[in-house]
Amino acid sequence: QVQLVESGGGLVQAGGSLRLSCAASGRTGSYYTMGWFRQAPGKEREFVVSINWSGGSTYYADSVKGRFTISRDNAKNTAYLQMNNLKPEDTAVYYCAAGPQLRLGVSDYWGQGTQVTVSS
């Protein structure tokens, strides 16, 4: 059993920054990819970003490339999402995820979600 606990959401002005954290506990397996999905009002949940165990392979949705950066600290079983130059269209509930090939739209485990709101 794996639990994902995420934090770092909040309200920020356009152009500002936030950093999300996701800590994994339980028997994840070191091979697990971690990342985030998000769900905006009136839209389905969408893939945002993922990172593999070594950190050598990352994938970003086109909408966040150049603004978001994902990293991980395997000693702490934690992934981080640095979000810079936030835009109102980034407003969504962000869900941490863990599992193989998250970029294909499937996750084995989910965090509880954290609200990110960006105002102009």
Side-chain angles (χ1 to χ4, degrees):
Q1 185 176 354
V2 174
Q3 293 185 354
L4 303 175
V5 179
E6 58 185 306
S7 61
L11 192 155
V12 65
Q13 295 282 349
S17 299
L18 288 171
R19 189 175 77 154
L20 306 184
S21 299
C22 180
S25 62
R27 307 175 77 87
T28 59
S30 61
Y31 55 86
Y32 261 51
T33 294
M34 297 182 68
W36 273 267
F37 290 68
R38 69 185 181 186
Q39 188 165 19
K43 295 186 177 181
E44 295 185 355
R45 190 173 301 185
E46 66 173 346
F47 169 79
V48 178
V49 62
S50 67
I51 184 169
N52 74 340
W53 180 87
S54 70
S57 295
T58 57
Y59 294 90
Y60 295 87
D62 289 342
S63 59
V64 306
K65 287 180 179 177
R67 300 186 298 117
F68 290 12
T69 303
I70 190 170
S71 61
R72 67 189 296 165
D73 183 344
N74 289 336
K76 297 181 178 179
N77 294 318
T78 300
Y80 305 93
L81 181 60
Q82 180 66 45
M83 305 185 294
N84 296 328
N85 192 24
L86 284 161
K87 304 176 183 297
E89 51 263 42
D90 295 318
T91 295
V93 177
Y94 284 69
Y95 296 93
C96 182
Q101 301 191 91
L102 299 182
R103 62 186 174 89
L104 299 182
V106 178
S107 178
D108 288 349
Y109 301 99
W110 297 97
Q112 80 279 10
T114 185
Q115 177 71 48
V116 172
T117 302
V118 184
S119 63
S120 60

